[in-house]
Amino acid sequence: MTTSPIYSKLATLGITLPPLAVPVAAYVPFVRSGNLIFLSGHLAKKDGKVWVGQLGRDVDTATGKAAARAIAIDLMGTLHAALGDLNKVTRIVKLMSLVNSTGDFTEQHLVTNGCSELLAEVFGPAVGAHARSAFGVAQNPMGACVEIDLIAEVAAD
């Protein structure tokens, strides 16, 4: 990997970026349009398998936040695979988080912080701070507790 503050921060945090995941349905992992790159939704994974559960039933907020943090790592892995270098990211623009929740669970925003906080820590506040939405949903694909997609602005080629 390229030596830079971003990759140094990942190393300090003990984070190894995963390879690009193979899509499991009819979509591509990312699409670039101009200086924007759109990453498809990434499901929470634990030990290489979908992290299954529902917030408010069998997953607590802290565990959901850890799942969202794991997604941030996968999202950065996809960005790295798409761009070849995370230094090409000029801004994390927006996240959309879908939290598999019971009807009375109201801490989707706290769960999503797991992803948001790690992106801001790795990229720094000027690049990593972003707009976002956090929704409670009745179900995610394969029973995943959290799914997050991302839009980033990147340097022109």
Side-chain angles (χ1 to χ4, degrees):
M1 285 188 201
T2 307
T3 302
S4 75
I6 293 171
Y7 291 100
S8 294
K9 179 56 110 172
L10 289 169
T12 298
L13 293 170
I15 294 172
T16 301
L17 296 178
L20 184 63
V22 176
V24 296
Y27 66 92
V28 294
F30 59 88
V31 171
R32 183 167 177 174
S33 181
N35 286 359
L36 294 178
I37 189 159
F38 298 78
L39 303 191
S40 293
H42 284 53
L43 300 177
K45 292 181 188 161
K46 184 176 184 180
D47 300 325
K49 297 181 180 171
V50 175
W51 198 329
V52 175
Q54 187 173 52
L55 278 289
R57 184 185 73 202
D58 52 8
V59 178
D60 64 18
T61 301
T63 303
K65 185 175 179 179
R69 185 183 190 281
I71 293 173
I73 294 167
D74 286 346
L75 289 165
M76 287 185 284
T78 299
L79 276 172
H80 177 79
L83 302 169
D85 184 354
L86 291 177
N87 291 296
K88 293 180 181 178
V89 175
T90 58
R91 184 71 192 232
I92 303 297
V93 177
K94 181 148 196 236
L95 299 181
M96 184 176 68
S97 176
L98 304 173
V99 180
N100 182 351
S101 309
T102 61
D104 60 350
F105 183 79
T106 61
E107 296 185 338
Q108 291 83 1
H109 61 296
L110 299 176
V111 168
T112 306
N113 281 348
C115 183
S116 295
E117 291 169 357
L118 183 58
L119 291 173
E121 184 175 5
V122 170
F123 287 99
V127 174
H130 51 269
R132 75 171 200 201
S133 301
F135 297 99
V137 297
Q139 192 55 267
N140 276 324
M142 295 180 270
C145 58
V146 184
E147 178 178 5
I148 300 175
D149 68 23
L150 179 147
I151 302 168
E153 182 181 43
V154 298
D157 284 335

